[in-house]
Each structure stands twice: as C-alpha cells, then as structure tokens.
Amino acid sequence: MAGVNALRWLTLTRHGESTGNLAFQAVLGTDAEEADIPERDADIPLSDTGRAQAAGLGRWLEALPEDERPTTVITSPYLRAHDTARIALAGTSFAAPRIQVDERIRDREQGVLQGLTPRGVRTRFPEEAARLRHLGKFYHRPPGGESWADLALRLRSFYRDLQAGAPGGRALVVAHDAIIVMTRYLVEELTEEEIMRIEKEPIANASVTRWRHDGTGLAAVCYNDCAHLATAAAPPPTARR
C-alpha cells in the first residue's frame, strides 16, 4: 500500500481497558445474551486499569529515541481511545503534537449485534448467525453494521490522507483492535485467510504495533507488544470493547 509506505514510522496502539471490556469479561462462561453496557459505544470510558495502561503507554513514548517520537497523533473519536491518547501524551516531557481526531479509525460498527454475546447473536438473530457461518467473518456485514472488508475501505482512505499530512513522517494512531488488525492486512498485503488467522489472537489493551520504513517499504517491528505494561496490572486481553 504505497500511501502507508510513505511514512517513516507507523505506530498503532489499542485503547486502554474500558468498562465495556469489563462488562464482556463479566458474562464470559455464562448464559447471558448481552453485556451490561449502558453507554452508546462511542461513550464507553476507560476503567481505572485502562487509565493506568494509558499512563504506561506515556512512559513508553517518553523513553523512545527522539527520532522515533511521533510527529503526528491521530485518535478515534471514541472516548476510550481519545482519553488513552490524552493521558499518554500528558505523561511525556517532549513537545507532543496536537491530538487529531478522525472518525475513519472508529471501531467496527456492529449494527443490530451491538453489545450481544455470541450466544445472544445465535438466539436473537439465528439467520444472521447462519449468514456469518456461510460468508465468514471477513465479509459478513450485520444489518446496520460493517464487515471487516468495509473497514479496509475506510482505512485505505485514512492512510492516503495520513501519508500526505503527517509532518516528520512519524505517526501514532490510537484506536481499536479491529483497526490494528486491518492495518496489518493493508500494510503487509495479507490475504483474507492470513488476516483472519491473525485476528484469532486478541489485541491487548494499550499494546503497541509498529512498522518502520526500511528504504523499500514499511517493515514490521513488533505486533501486539505489551511489555511496557508490566506494572499496569493489566488483565488478559479481550477482543471485545
């Protein structure tokens, strides 16, 4: 993907743990059909652990060599992502760039399946569950929602603009697990089969995924790295909000 490869450094991080993450964890292994999340998706806040993880991300940014520090910071408009970026940058001593917001890196829209557990999907929308099994996760678009392929479309647009408007060529993107997975799909030019196999590994909250331009294109540096969070008391990663 030529637009992305014009960047010198591309760093992505998932937001810190949210109260939505905790709500989904609470119903794991139960008969619940939905998680108890009162807020709309865009308004789900960080948990106490999520705020500690964001501070840990800030310490990681502070320790970066000067020529690796972000010159552009863009976040999803969702509260959990924006607060992660804000807390992280507040903990740095260097002159951090202004946080920009871009709706194209919001989380994947779930439509009528929003907030439901797998059991809830099978029980309340059996026809959609059957369509998902037939089409596969990559191409299945729930009513009112998006497929993973839909994410690729808006991310191609986002990265075209980013490479043209990222002074210094070092970008930090604070977003969601699906955005990180599909960025890897685009940057590394993976197949549906390859990215859906990778997607089975949950992206840890406040983990770091990086690519560096090696002269010919962006080369992977790390994926889903959370070593910097060792003191943040992080729970096991979760693939849901």
Side-chain angles (χ1 to χ4, degrees):
M1 189 176 176
V4 178
N5 286 339
L7 295 168
R8 291 171 53 200
W9 279 95
L10 176 60
T11 301
L12 271 69
T13 185
R14 186 187 180 193
H15 61 81
E17 180 194 76
S18 71
T19 58
N21 293 147
L22 294 177
F24 271 103
Q25 290 169 18
V27 297
L28 285 177
T30 74
D31 291 335
E33 295 183 3
E34 61 182 314
D36 183 16
I37 302 175
E39 304 92 354
R40 64 174 186 160
D41 196 17
D43 298 330
I44 294 174
L46 294 174
S47 66
D48 289 343
T49 294
R51 287 187 286 273
Q53 291 169 335
L57 176 66
R59 291 189 292 272
W60 177 83
L61 289 169
E62 177 73 14
L64 285 176
E66 185 174 353
D67 63 356
E68 295 184 21
R69 292 173 178 170
T71 53
T72 297
V73 177
I74 304 182
T75 178
S76 158
Y78 286 14
L79 180 63
R80 56 192 181 273
H82 192 277
D83 277 357
T84 297
R86 179 182 56 79
I87 293 169
L89 291 180
T92 61
S93 62
F94 59 85
R98 177 182 63 86
I99 297 174
Q100 302 175 53
V101 174
D102 197 305
E103 74 286 344
R104 289 173 295 182
I105 55 173
R106 70 189 186 279
D107 208 353
R108 184 169 72 93
E109 303 283 358
Q110 302 280 350
V112 298
L113 306 185
Q114 180 68 38
L116 298 182
T117 65
R119 179 186 180 90
V121 174
R122 294 191 301 269
T123 302
R124 300 184 187 185
F125 298 97
E127 293 184 357
E128 282 306 310
R131 287 184 65 241
L132 173 58
R133 289 192 298 271
H134 175 68
L135 294 174
K137 183 182 289 188
F138 191 82
Y139 289 113
H140 175 255
R141 180 189 294 126
E146 296 176 294
S147 68
W148 288 76
D150 291 330
L151 286 187
L153 292 177
R154 58 172 155 102
L155 284 177
R156 289 184 192 279
S157 166
F158 169 73
Y159 284 118
R160 278 195 299 269
D161 290 348
L162 178 61
Q163 65 89 21
R170 304 191 299 270
L172 170 65
V173 175
V174 184
H176 309 270
D177 51 357
I179 298 300
I180 295 169
V181 170
M182 288 309 292
T183 296
R184 186 169 177 183
Y185 168 79
L186 296 176
V187 173
E188 300 176 21
E189 299 181 342
L190 302 177
T191 65
E192 173 193 355
E193 181 181 10
E194 288 170 332
I195 199 59
M196 288 294 95
R197 184 170 61 249
I198 289 169
E199 186 270 337
K200 294 180 184 299
E201 174 192 349
I203 303 293
N205 294 112
S207 63
V208 168
T209 296
R210 308 185 81 198
W211 294 267
R212 180 181 184 276
H213 205 288
D214 64 2
T216 59
L218 286 181
V221 175
C222 64
Y223 178 67
N224 199 17
D225 183 3
C226 52
H228 57 290
L229 301 175
T231 61
T238 172
R240 299 303 298 268
R241 292 181 235 346

